[in-house]
Amino acid sequence: MFPRLYAILDGSILGPAVEASAQKLIAAGVRLFQYRHKKASSRQLFTVCQNLSRNMKAAEARFVVNDRCDIARLTASGGVHLGQEDLGPKEARAIVGGESWVGLSTHTLGEVEAAATTTADYIAIGPIFPTISKEGARPPVGLGLIREARKITDKPLVAIGGITLETAPEALAAGADSVAVIRDLIEAADVGARARQYLEVLRAL
């Protein structure tokens, strides 16, 4: 079963606390992570991802690198997450390998339809709600896009963008398999306790 909670570790928010936060989330029971840091150098990305990948494997959690297929391959991570401007799933898989997950972000029904025909392991849809976690974020697409996407693909759907503890159940009710959470999780006063709240709510659905 695809994990209900997808924790996004944003390096621009967490800074040097990323590895400590990841450990707290692992201890809380989170088993799917993505690391992204749009402004980090390749060397910085490699170092952080190498450490995160090692720690995730020890905990039997899956770790996905945002955008960078090369970093995912070099750090033996569990996958790569692609945007619409990145390599396609076929090309990415040739780099990261068949055992790795390849995720793909979508923002329109047309993009979902195209993603459904690829080898992508899961499709992210968003932003579902208004978000400030990404510079130049698109206008929210709403829950309706999840409902429409669910009609055309059996691939796991991940709702992302403005997800909170209160709205996460709405995303799953609309047809999402998982919710990707950033600020409402990693900016919590106690990230471990917040993660446990999410897991408890999501397991009940």
Side-chain angles (χ1 to χ4, degrees):
M1 182 177 177
F2 199 92
R4 294 284 203 184
L5 180 60
Y6 191 163
I8 308 294
L9 302 168
D10 192 317
S12 64
I13 298 173
L14 288 169
V18 61
E19 291 180 41
S21 295
Q23 286 295 341
K24 292 175 183 177
L25 292 169
I26 289 171
V30 181
R31 288 297 178 268
L32 178 58
F33 295 83
Q34 181 189 139
Y35 180 68
R36 74 180 193 191
H37 195 336
K38 300 290 187 179
K39 297 181 180 180
S41 68
S42 293
R43 182 175 295 277
Q44 289 173 320
L45 277 174
F46 174 79
T47 299
V48 174
C49 289
Q50 187 175 51
N51 292 336
L52 288 173
S53 179
R54 184 183 302 117
N55 293 336
M56 299 297 177
K57 283 183 179 178
E60 297 185 345
R62 184 170 290 267
F63 171 59
V64 175
V65 178
N66 182 260
D67 293 345
R68 297 289 299 271
C69 300
D70 55 340
I71 298 293
R73 174 67 180 267
L74 288 169
T75 58
S77 299
V80 64
H81 185 83
L82 308 169
Q84 288 293 312
E85 304 304 318
D86 296 321
L87 290 176
K90 181 180 178 180
E91 293 77 15
R93 196 175 298 283
I95 297 171
V96 299
E99 298 301 314
S100 294
W101 283 5
V102 174
L104 182 60
S105 288
T106 63
H107 316 286
T108 68
L109 188 59
E111 289 176 355
V112 173
E113 290 173 335
T117 67
T118 71
T119 60
D121 293 284
Y122 69 88
I123 300 171
I125 300 174
I128 303 301
F129 305 105
T131 178
I132 60 171
S133 294
K134 189 174 183 180
E135 292 185 12
R138 297 166 180 260
V141 299
L143 296 168
L145 184 54
I146 298 177
R147 296 188 185 98
E148 292 303 308
R150 185 75 289 162
K151 296 175 184 177
I152 62 175
T153 182
D154 291 327
K155 289 182 184 289
L157 301 178
V158 178
I160 187 170
I163 302 294
T164 66
L165 189 62
E166 292 71 32
T167 61
E170 298 176 37
L172 293 191
D177 298 278
S178 177
V179 290
V181 188
I182 308 172
R183 288 184 182 273
D184 195 53
L185 185 60
I186 63 175
E187 288 190 330
D190 186 334
V191 296
R194 191 62 163 173
R196 286 189 289 273
Q197 285 180 303
Y198 267 98
L199 292 170
E200 182 178 355
V201 168
L202 296 174
R203 285 169 182 158
L205 298 174

